[in-house]
Amino acid sequence: MDQIFGFRRPDGSFGIRNHIAVIPSVFCANHAVKLIANQVGGAVPFPHINGCGQHGRDLQQTINTLAGIGKNPNFGAVLVIGLGCERVQAQELAGLIAQSGKPVRYLNIQQEGGTLKTVQAGVRMAREFAALLAQGQREPCPVSKLVLGLKCGGTDATSGIAANPALGLAVDRLIDQGGTAFLSELAELLGTEHIMRRRSETPEVYQRIKEELSHCEAVLERMTRDFTRTSEQAALVTPGNFEGGSVRCRKRPWAGFTNLAAANLLGCWTTPSALTEPGCSSWPQPVMTPTLPQAWPQEGRRSLPLPLAGAPPPAFLESLCLKLPGTAKPSTIWRTTLT
C-alpha cells in the first residue's frame, strides 16, 4: 500500500477524519461545549480541567495542547468556547489554531450573555461548519503523510509476542515508505537501556533517551520510597496485568520495546515541533492510557495503534484508534467501544 485516502487541509496536511473540534479554552466552558457538540453531527467536544490558575510552563503546556488539538488535520473546522476572564483566552487560542488555515470561530460566555445563549450561537456556528465539511471529498495521499502514535495498553502475557511485534512490523513498513511514528511511553522501557543504545541512530539520541529514563526512575523511587516494595502502592504491575499473565515488571519493557521492531530511533524530542524528518522517534509523555491521548494531537498524529490487553480504549479519540489485542478476551470486554 503506497497511498491512503484522506481530507486535504489548507496547510498541506491530510486528515483521516473530517470532524469539527469544539474546544473549551477553560474548564468553566466544559458544559457549554458538551451541549453544543451533542447537537451537531460530526462535532467532538474536548472538556478538560485547565485554562486558568496556571503559570509559566504549566500554562504554556495547556496552550500547546489545546492549539495542537485544533490544528490536528483530523479536524476540518474548530469552534473555541471561552468564559471571558480566564488565562487561556478563547480569541488567542482561536488565533493560534487559525494559523493552520482551517475555519475557526470563537465565543465567550460572558460576552454572549450566559450559557444558553452561547450554546444557541455555538450550535448555529457548528452546523455551518458541518455543512461546509460535508462538501469535502476524500482524495489519495501518500502513506508518507501518515503519523502514528504508539501505545501499549494493559500489558498481558501476549503483548510482547503477538500484538506489539505485529505493530512493530507495521511501523517498519510505514517508515520504509517515508512515514512517521512516535514512541511515547519511555517509562515502559526502563531496563532496556542496553538495547536502546544499539537502536539509537546517534550517541546523542541515546543520551537523551537515557536522561529521560533516569528521570522516570528517579521519580518512581521518590514516589514509592515510603512504601513496602511488595505493597499495592509501590507495585509497578497492576491487578489487570497480573490477571492477564504479566507477572513480572521486566515483561512490560519488552512488550513496549517490540512496538519498534527493526526501526532505529532518530530522536528524543521534548516538543513535537522539534521533529524535522520522517522515521521513528521518541517523545516522552505520560504512560497511562487515559492521559496520554491528550498529548498526541500536538504533533499531528492521524492515528493511534493501541496494542490492547485489558485496558479500555483511550479518551480524546480525535485520532483514528486501532486496537490490536493479542487474545480474544479484550475484544469481548470492549465490544461496544472497539469501533
PDB file of all heavy atoms in Angstrom, residues 70-97:
ATOM      1  N   GLY A  70      -6.659  21.540  18.008  1.00  0.00           N
ATOM      2  CA  GLY A  70      -7.346  22.271  16.955  1.00  0.00           C
ATOM      3  C   GLY A  70      -6.648  22.182  15.610  1.00  0.00           C
ATOM      4  O   GLY A  70      -7.293  22.133  14.560  1.00  0.00           O
ATOM      5  N   LYS A  71      -5.312  22.153  15.620  1.00  0.00           N
ATOM      6  CA  LYS A  71      -4.546  22.098  14.370  1.00  0.00           C
ATOM      7  C   LYS A  71      -4.494  20.696  13.776  1.00  0.00           C
ATOM      8  O   LYS A  71      -4.123  20.533  12.616  1.00  0.00           O
ATOM      9  CB  LYS A  71      -3.119  22.589  14.612  1.00  0.00           C
ATOM     10  CG  LYS A  71      -3.007  24.069  14.911  1.00  0.00           C
ATOM     11  CD  LYS A  71      -1.556  24.468  15.142  1.00  0.00           C
ATOM     12  CE  LYS A  71      -1.412  25.955  15.416  1.00  0.00           C
ATOM     13  NZ  LYS A  71       0.000  26.337  15.650  1.00  0.00           N
ATOM     14  N   ASN A  72      -4.850  19.687  14.566  1.00  0.00           N
ATOM     15  CA  ASN A  72      -4.778  18.319  14.066  1.00  0.00           C
ATOM     16  C   ASN A  72      -5.573  18.189  12.776  1.00  0.00           C
ATOM     17  O   ASN A  72      -6.719  18.623  12.692  1.00  0.00           O
ATOM     18  CB  ASN A  72      -5.331  17.363  15.124  1.00  0.00           C
ATOM     19  CG  ASN A  72      -5.062  15.912  14.788  1.00  0.00           C
ATOM     20  OD1 ASN A  72      -5.676  15.369  13.883  1.00  0.00           O
ATOM     21  ND2 ASN A  72      -4.157  15.299  15.517  1.00  0.00           N
ATOM     22  N   PRO A  73      -4.992  17.594  11.728  1.00  0.00           N
ATOM     23  CA  PRO A  73      -5.668  17.520  10.423  1.00  0.00           C
ATOM     24  C   PRO A  73      -6.912  16.656  10.403  1.00  0.00           C
ATOM     25  O   PRO A  73      -7.642  16.671   9.412  1.00  0.00           O
ATOM     26  CB  PRO A  73      -4.580  16.952   9.508  1.00  0.00           C
ATOM     27  CG  PRO A  73      -3.616  16.261  10.411  1.00  0.00           C
ATOM     28  CD  PRO A  73      -3.615  17.047  11.681  1.00  0.00           C
ATOM     29  N   ASN A  74      -7.183  15.914  11.461  1.00  0.00           N
ATOM     30  CA  ASN A  74      -8.436  15.165  11.513  1.00  0.00           C
ATOM     31  C   ASN A  74      -9.635  16.079  11.741  1.00  0.00           C
ATOM     32  O   ASN A  74     -10.776  15.624  11.688  1.00  0.00           O
ATOM     33  CB  ASN A  74      -8.380  14.105  12.608  1.00  0.00           C
ATOM     34  CG  ASN A  74      -7.573  12.897  12.187  1.00  0.00           C
ATOM     35  OD1 ASN A  74      -7.514  12.581  11.008  1.00  0.00           O
ATOM     36  ND2 ASN A  74      -6.947  12.232  13.135  1.00  0.00           N
ATOM     37  N   PHE A  75      -9.380  17.361  12.026  1.00  0.00           N
ATOM     38  CA  PHE A  75     -10.451  18.338  12.171  1.00  0.00           C
ATOM     39  C   PHE A  75     -10.429  19.308  11.002  1.00  0.00           C
ATOM     40  O   PHE A  75      -9.403  19.914  10.699  1.00  0.00           O
ATOM     41  CB  PHE A  75     -10.308  19.111  13.484  1.00  0.00           C
ATOM     42  CG  PHE A  75     -10.497  18.250  14.700  1.00  0.00           C
ATOM     43  CD1 PHE A  75      -9.477  18.048  15.601  1.00  0.00           C
ATOM     44  CD2 PHE A  75     -11.711  17.626  14.926  1.00  0.00           C
ATOM     45  CE1 PHE A  75      -9.644  17.246  16.712  1.00  0.00           C
ATOM     46  CE2 PHE A  75     -11.895  16.819  16.030  1.00  0.00           C
ATOM     47  CZ  PHE A  75     -10.865  16.624  16.931  1.00  0.00           C
ATOM     48  N   GLY A  76     -11.583  19.457  10.368  1.00  0.00           N
ATOM     49  CA  GLY A  76     -11.686  20.387   9.252  1.00  0.00           C
ATOM     50  C   GLY A  76     -12.097  21.771   9.674  1.00  0.00           C
ATOM     51  O   GLY A  76     -11.943  22.733   8.913  1.00  0.00           O
ATOM     52  N   ALA A  77     -12.632  21.905  10.893  1.00  0.00           N
ATOM     53  CA  ALA A  77     -13.057  23.205  11.419  1.00  0.00           C
ATOM     54  C   ALA A  77     -13.037  23.138  12.941  1.00  0.00           C
ATOM     55  O   ALA A  77     -13.147  22.053  13.525  1.00  0.00           O
ATOM     56  CB  ALA A  77     -14.447  23.571  10.908  1.00  0.00           C
ATOM     57  N   VAL A  78     -12.928  24.304  13.560  1.00  0.00           N
ATOM     58  CA  VAL A  78     -12.791  24.353  15.023  1.00  0.00           C
ATOM     59  C   VAL A  78     -13.634  25.489  15.591  1.00  0.00           C
ATOM     60  O   VAL A  78     -13.636  26.616  15.060  1.00  0.00           O
ATOM     61  CB  VAL A  78     -11.317  24.561  15.438  1.00  0.00           C
ATOM     62  CG1 VAL A  78     -11.200  24.605  16.967  1.00  0.00           C
ATOM     63  CG2 VAL A  78     -10.436  23.460  14.872  1.00  0.00           C
ATOM     64  N   LEU A  79     -14.324  25.185  16.686  1.00  0.00           N
ATOM     65  CA  LEU A  79     -15.056  26.191  17.452  1.00  0.00           C
ATOM     66  C   LEU A  79     -14.482  26.226  18.862  1.00  0.00           C
ATOM     67  O   LEU A  79     -14.431  25.196  19.537  1.00  0.00           O
ATOM     68  CB  LEU A  79     -16.545  25.848  17.499  1.00  0.00           C
ATOM     69  CG  LEU A  79     -17.431  26.778  18.329  1.00  0.00           C
ATOM     70  CD1 LEU A  79     -17.387  28.199  17.801  1.00  0.00           C
ATOM     71  CD2 LEU A  79     -18.874  26.252  18.359  1.00  0.00           C
ATOM     72  N   VAL A  80     -14.020  27.397  19.303  1.00  0.00           N
ATOM     73  CA  VAL A  80     -13.440  27.572  20.634  1.00  0.00           C
ATOM     74  C   VAL A  80     -14.442  28.314  21.509  1.00  0.00           C
ATOM     75  O   VAL A  80     -14.972  29.363  21.107  1.00  0.00           O
ATOM     76  CB  VAL A  80     -12.113  28.358  20.568  1.00  0.00           C
ATOM     77  CG1 VAL A  80     -11.545  28.551  21.980  1.00  0.00           C
ATOM     78  CG2 VAL A  80     -11.107  27.637  19.683  1.00  0.00           C
ATOM     79  N   ILE A  81     -14.696  27.782  22.692  1.00  0.00           N
ATOM     80  CA  ILE A  81     -15.624  28.406  23.640  1.00  0.00           C
ATOM     81  C   ILE A  81     -14.855  28.800  24.899  1.00  0.00           C
ATOM     82  O   ILE A  81     -14.205  27.958  25.527  1.00  0.00           O
ATOM     83  CB  ILE A  81     -16.774  27.452  24.021  1.00  0.00           C
ATOM     84  CG1 ILE A  81     -17.485  26.931  22.762  1.00  0.00           C
ATOM     85  CG2 ILE A  81     -17.752  28.164  24.954  1.00  0.00           C
ATOM     86  CD1 ILE A  81     -18.160  27.993  21.954  1.00  0.00           C
ATOM     87  N   GLY A  82     -14.939  30.078  25.263  1.00  0.00           N
ATOM     88  CA  GLY A  82     -14.285  30.557  26.477  1.00  0.00           C
ATOM     89  C   GLY A  82     -15.300  31.141  27.451  1.00  0.00           C
ATOM     90  O   GLY A  82     -16.477  31.308  27.120  1.00  0.00           O
ATOM     91  N   LEU A  83     -14.821  31.452  28.646  1.00  0.00           N
ATOM     92  CA  LEU A  83     -15.675  32.123  29.625  1.00  0.00           C
ATOM     93  C   LEU A  83     -15.568  33.636  29.454  1.00  0.00           C
ATOM     94  O   LEU A  83     -16.563  34.339  29.413  1.00  0.00           O
ATOM     95  CB  LEU A  83     -15.288  31.711  31.040  1.00  0.00           C
ATOM     96  CG  LEU A  83     -16.099  32.364  32.170  1.00  0.00           C
ATOM     97  CD1 LEU A  83     -17.578  31.991  32.049  1.00  0.00           C
ATOM     98  CD2 LEU A  83     -15.553  31.952  33.541  1.00  0.00           C
ATOM     99  N   GLY A  84     -14.313  34.119  29.356  1.00  0.00           N
ATOM    100  CA  GLY A  84     -14.100  35.550  29.153  1.00  0.00           C
ATOM    101  C   GLY A  84     -13.082  36.157  30.087  1.00  0.00           C
ATOM    102  O   GLY A  84     -12.526  37.223  29.812  1.00  0.00           O
ATOM    103  N   CYS A  85     -12.785  35.492  31.208  1.00  0.00           N
ATOM    104  CA  CYS A  85     -11.867  36.059  32.197  1.00  0.00           C
ATOM    105  C   CYS A  85     -10.702  35.123  32.522  1.00  0.00           C
ATOM    106  O   CYS A  85      -9.960  35.350  33.475  1.00  0.00           O
ATOM    107  CB  CYS A  85     -12.619  36.410  33.476  1.00  0.00           C
ATOM    108  SG  CYS A  85     -13.507  35.011  34.214  1.00  0.00           S
ATOM    109  N   GLU A  86     -10.531  34.074  31.725  1.00  0.00           N
ATOM    110  CA  GLU A  86      -9.540  33.042  32.026  1.00  0.00           C
ATOM    111  C   GLU A  86      -8.152  33.410  31.515  1.00  0.00           C
ATOM    112  O   GLU A  86      -7.984  34.344  30.721  1.00  0.00           O
ATOM    113  CB  GLU A  86      -9.976  31.697  31.430  1.00  0.00           C
ATOM    114  CG  GLU A  86     -10.088  31.692  29.915  1.00  0.00           C
ATOM    115  CD  GLU A  86     -11.453  32.118  29.421  1.00  0.00           C
ATOM    116  OE1 GLU A  86     -12.182  32.801  30.176  1.00  0.00           O
ATOM    117  OE2 GLU A  86     -11.779  31.785  28.267  1.00  0.00           O
ATOM    118  N   ARG A  87      -7.149  32.622  31.942  1.00  0.00           N
ATOM    119  CA  ARG A  87      -5.777  32.843  31.494  1.00  0.00           C
ATOM    120  C   ARG A  87      -5.615  32.486  30.023  1.00  0.00           C
ATOM    121  O   ARG A  87      -4.924  33.168  29.272  1.00  0.00           O
ATOM    122  CB  ARG A  87      -4.795  32.006  32.336  1.00  0.00           C
ATOM    123  CG  ARG A  87      -4.668  32.424  33.774  1.00  0.00           C
ATOM    124  CD  ARG A  87      -4.100  33.830  33.904  1.00  0.00           C
ATOM    125  NE  ARG A  87      -2.784  33.951  33.301  1.00  0.00           N
ATOM    126  CZ  ARG A  87      -1.624  33.725  33.939  1.00  0.00           C
ATOM    127  NH1 ARG A  87      -1.648  33.341  35.197  1.00  0.00           N
ATOM    128  NH2 ARG A  87      -0.473  33.892  33.324  1.00  0.00           N
ATOM    129  N   VAL A  88      -6.217  31.379  29.593  1.00  0.00           N
ATOM    130  CA  VAL A  88      -6.158  30.977  28.186  1.00  0.00           C
ATOM    131  C   VAL A  88      -7.368  31.596  27.485  1.00  0.00           C
ATOM    132  O   VAL A  88      -8.469  31.070  27.540  1.00  0.00           O
ATOM    133  CB  VAL A  88      -6.173  29.444  28.030  1.00  0.00           C
ATOM    134  CG1 VAL A  88      -6.076  29.066  26.557  1.00  0.00           C
ATOM    135  CG2 VAL A  88      -5.016  28.819  28.803  1.00  0.00           C
ATOM    136  N   GLN A  89      -7.161  32.740  26.842  1.00  0.00           N
ATOM    137  CA  GLN A  89      -8.258  33.463  26.210  1.00  0.00           C
ATOM    138  C   GLN A  89      -8.708  32.764  24.926  1.00  0.00           C
ATOM    139  O   GLN A  89      -7.895  32.309  24.127  1.00  0.00           O
ATOM    140  CB  GLN A  89      -7.820  34.887  25.896  1.00  0.00           C
ATOM    141  CG  GLN A  89      -7.702  35.773  27.135  1.00  0.00           C
ATOM    142  CD  GLN A  89      -9.068  36.156  27.685  1.00  0.00           C
ATOM    143  OE1 GLN A  89      -9.872  36.799  27.009  1.00  0.00           O
ATOM    144  NE2 GLN A  89      -9.333  35.751  28.922  1.00  0.00           N
ATOM    145  N   ALA A  90     -10.022  32.687  24.723  1.00  0.00           N
ATOM    146  CA  ALA A  90     -10.578  31.991  23.570  1.00  0.00           C
ATOM    147  C   ALA A  90     -10.095  32.597  22.253  1.00  0.00           C
ATOM    148  O   ALA A  90      -9.759  31.877  21.316  1.00  0.00           O
ATOM    149  CB  ALA A  90     -12.107  32.017  23.636  1.00  0.00           C
ATOM    150  N   GLN A  91     -10.060  33.923  22.165  1.00  0.00           N
ATOM    151  CA  GLN A  91      -9.654  34.562  20.916  1.00  0.00           C
ATOM    152  C   GLN A  91      -8.186  34.303  20.595  1.00  0.00           C
ATOM    153  O   GLN A  91      -7.813  34.140  19.418  1.00  0.00           O
ATOM    154  CB  GLN A  91      -9.927  36.074  20.941  1.00  0.00           C
ATOM    155  CG  GLN A  91      -9.266  36.833  22.072  1.00  0.00           C
ATOM    156  CD  GLN A  91     -10.141  36.947  23.301  1.00  0.00           C
ATOM    157  OE1 GLN A  91     -10.897  36.026  23.600  1.00  0.00           O
ATOM    158  NE2 GLN A  91     -10.048  38.076  23.986  1.00  0.00           N
ATOM    159  N   GLU A  92      -7.351  34.234  21.615  1.00  0.00           N
ATOM    160  CA  GLU A  92      -5.937  33.954  21.388  1.00  0.00           C
ATOM    161  C   GLU A  92      -5.736  32.507  20.959  1.00  0.00           C
ATOM    162  O   GLU A  92      -4.942  32.215  20.053  1.00  0.00           O
ATOM    163  CB  GLU A  92      -5.134  34.262  22.653  1.00  0.00           C
ATOM    164  CG  GLU A  92      -5.148  35.739  23.033  1.00  0.00           C
ATOM    165  CD  GLU A  92      -4.410  36.009  24.321  1.00  0.00           C
ATOM    166  OE1 GLU A  92      -3.835  35.047  24.893  1.00  0.00           O
ATOM    167  OE2 GLU A  92      -4.397  37.177  24.771  1.00  0.00           O
ATOM    168  N   LEU A  93      -6.455  31.595  21.603  1.00  0.00           N
ATOM    169  CA  LEU A  93      -6.362  30.186  21.228  1.00  0.00           C
ATOM    170  C   LEU A  93      -6.877  29.979  19.803  1.00  0.00           C
ATOM    171  O   LEU A  93      -6.262  29.257  19.003  1.00  0.00           O
ATOM    172  CB  LEU A  93      -7.171  29.336  22.214  1.00  0.00           C
ATOM    173  CG  LEU A  93      -7.196  27.829  21.965  1.00  0.00           C
ATOM    174  CD1 LEU A  93      -5.787  27.255  21.986  1.00  0.00           C
ATOM    175  CD2 LEU A  93      -8.065  27.128  23.010  1.00  0.00           C
ATOM    176  N   ALA A  94      -7.981  30.630  19.469  1.00  0.00           N
ATOM    177  CA  ALA A  94      -8.516  30.522  18.116  1.00  0.00           C
ATOM    178  C   ALA A  94      -7.512  31.061  17.096  1.00  0.00           C
ATOM    179  O   ALA A  94      -7.373  30.508  15.995  1.00  0.00           O
ATOM    180  CB  ALA A  94      -9.836  31.286  18.012  1.00  0.00           C
ATOM    181  N   GLY A  95      -6.804  32.135  17.445  1.00  0.00           N
ATOM    182  CA  GLY A  95      -5.806  32.691  16.543  1.00  0.00           C
ATOM    183  C   GLY A  95      -4.668  31.735  16.272  1.00  0.00           C
ATOM    184  O   GLY A  95      -4.177  31.634  15.137  1.00  0.00           O
ATOM    185  N   LEU A  96      -4.227  31.005  17.297  1.00  0.00           N
ATOM    186  CA  LEU A  96      -3.162  30.015  17.111  1.00  0.00           C
ATOM    187  C   LEU A  96      -3.620  28.895  16.185  1.00  0.00           C
ATOM    188  O   LEU A  96      -2.881  28.447  15.304  1.00  0.00           O
ATOM    189  CB  LEU A  96      -2.741  29.440  18.464  1.00  0.00           C
ATOM    190  CG  LEU A  96      -2.018  30.391  19.423  1.00  0.00           C
ATOM    191  CD1 LEU A  96      -1.815  29.720  20.774  1.00  0.00           C
ATOM    192  CD2 LEU A  96      -0.673  30.821  18.838  1.00  0.00           C
ATOM    193  N   ILE A  97      -4.844  28.416  16.391  1.00  0.00           N
ATOM    194  CA  ILE A  97      -5.358  27.327  15.565  1.00  0.00           C
ATOM    195  C   ILE A  97      -5.552  27.789  14.123  1.00  0.00           C
ATOM    196  O   ILE A  97      -5.305  27.034  13.170  1.00  0.00           O
ATOM    197  CB  ILE A  97      -6.686  26.810  16.150  1.00  0.00           C
ATOM    198  CG1 ILE A  97      -6.451  26.222  17.547  1.00  0.00           C
ATOM    199  CG2 ILE A  97      -7.307  25.754  15.235  1.00  0.00           C
ATOM    200  CD1 ILE A  97      -7.714  25.867  18.293  1.00  0.00           C
TER     201      ILE A  97
END
